[in-house]
Amino acid sequence: MIRGILFDMDGVLLDTERLGAGLFEQACARRGRVVPQGLFLRMLGCTAQAGYDVLHEAFGDGFPAREVMEEVHQGIFHTAVTAGLPAKKGLGECLRGLRERSLRVALATSTDRAIVERYIQAVPLMQGAFDAMVCGAEGGRSKPEPDIYLEAARRLKLPIGECLGVEDSRNGLRSLAAAGCVSVMIPDLMPYDESLAGVVDYRLPDLNHLPELVDRLNLGARARA
């Protein structure tokens, strides 16, 4: 039975990854760097430090990785204050549906807690939506290691096998698979391809379809019992 839902944030609940990718390219261009194809995707799901490591590998140890990413986050904050952060399709309906089914909900994001709290302030739908949050390095090792999802399940007081995780990035999906919970991909910047088959149990077009998927899984579990 599925009793808990573990959500990634950027690209799953909030449509921030496209905004972040544009800001990242601009910040790198200001420093004379052209972003190689796929570099931003490699950073998705990583903790801040793991992201810095990716940038230093690509651009050299002297590249101001922390400064660039702080500039990206400031750009997102500016958008949040001036225009609000865009929620992903179906966010409100999904959260209501999960509550109606008495499911416990956790946020498991590699984004630092101070940033997460500012994002939540800008998105009323997310305020009070989570029974637990694990942010940044609080969960232990960075995705694709399983630590953050294991910690999120622990904070929900549920076995990981009774949880379903929702992700959009390769690092996040690998983390879910390593943790041992049901994995759902809702593609965002990264499309699904067959290289992900081993770490994706289900694919959905948007959040609207998640409560119905949980119903199907739990109906099947009851039938097998």
Side-chain angles (χ1 to χ4, degrees):
M1 294 287 290
I2 300 298
R3 298 171 58 203
I5 307 296
L6 315 177
F7 282 114
D8 179 42
M9 183 180 67
D10 293 291
V12 172
L13 303 180
L14 298 178
D15 197 6
T16 47
E17 287 185 351
R18 286 175 179 80
L19 174 61
L23 292 166
F24 174 68
E25 290 188 3
Q26 293 168 23
C28 289
R30 280 191 284 274
R31 293 160 177 85
R33 303 300 179 100
V34 176
V35 177
Q37 185 175 3
L39 179 62
F40 191 73
L41 291 179
R42 287 178 58 200
M43 297 169 61
L44 297 182
C46 290
T47 60
Q49 184 57 57
Y52 302 155
D53 292 343
V54 170
L55 292 180
H56 288 145
E57 178 186 338
F59 294 136
D61 291 341
F63 183 74
R66 184 184 299 272
E67 178 182 293
V68 165
M69 295 313 299
E70 286 178 355
E71 193 171 302
V72 170
H73 289 307
Q74 286 303 317
I76 296 175
F77 293 151
H78 177 74
T79 300
V81 170
T82 58
L85 290 179
K88 295 294 284 187
K89 181 180 177 181
L91 175 61
E93 295 84 348
C94 176
L95 292 175
R96 283 195 296 274
L98 299 179
R99 287 298 181 197
E100 289 168 358
R101 291 160 174 79
S102 300
L103 294 163
R104 295 181 62 75
V105 178
L107 187 67
T109 174
S110 297
T111 302
D112 289 343
R113 181 172 288 268
I115 296 172
V116 171
E117 290 175 347
R118 292 180 71 176
Y119 284 6
I120 289 175
Q121 289 175 3
V123 184
L125 287 173
M126 291 174 60
Q127 294 169 11
F130 306 110
D131 299 296
M133 295 199 311
V134 187
C135 305
E138 295 172 5
R141 295 171 297 173
S142 177
K143 301 174 187 178
E145 301 298 333
D147 302 30
I148 191 169
Y149 282 112
L150 295 172
E151 177 62 16
R154 188 191 70 80
R155 293 188 188 187
L156 289 182
K157 298 180 173 60
L158 292 174
I160 192 67
E162 294 182 1
C163 295
L164 176 153
V166 188
E167 271 283 0
D168 68 304
S169 73
R170 186 178 300 273
N171 285 329
L173 291 162
R174 289 172 62 196
S175 178
L176 287 173
C181 65
V182 175
S183 66
V184 174
M185 181 183 188
I186 302 180
D188 187 46
L189 289 183
M190 184 185 72
Y192 176 83
D193 64 50
E194 290 306 312
S195 70
L196 296 168
V199 295
V200 175
D201 295 317
Y202 300 93
R203 281 180 284 157
L204 296 176
D206 56 57
L207 290 165
N208 272 318
H209 296 78
L210 185 63
E212 179 184 350
L213 173 62
V214 174
D215 287 344
R216 294 204 310 270
L217 294 176
N218 284 344
L219 180 63
R222 285 192 290 269
R224 289 191 296 274

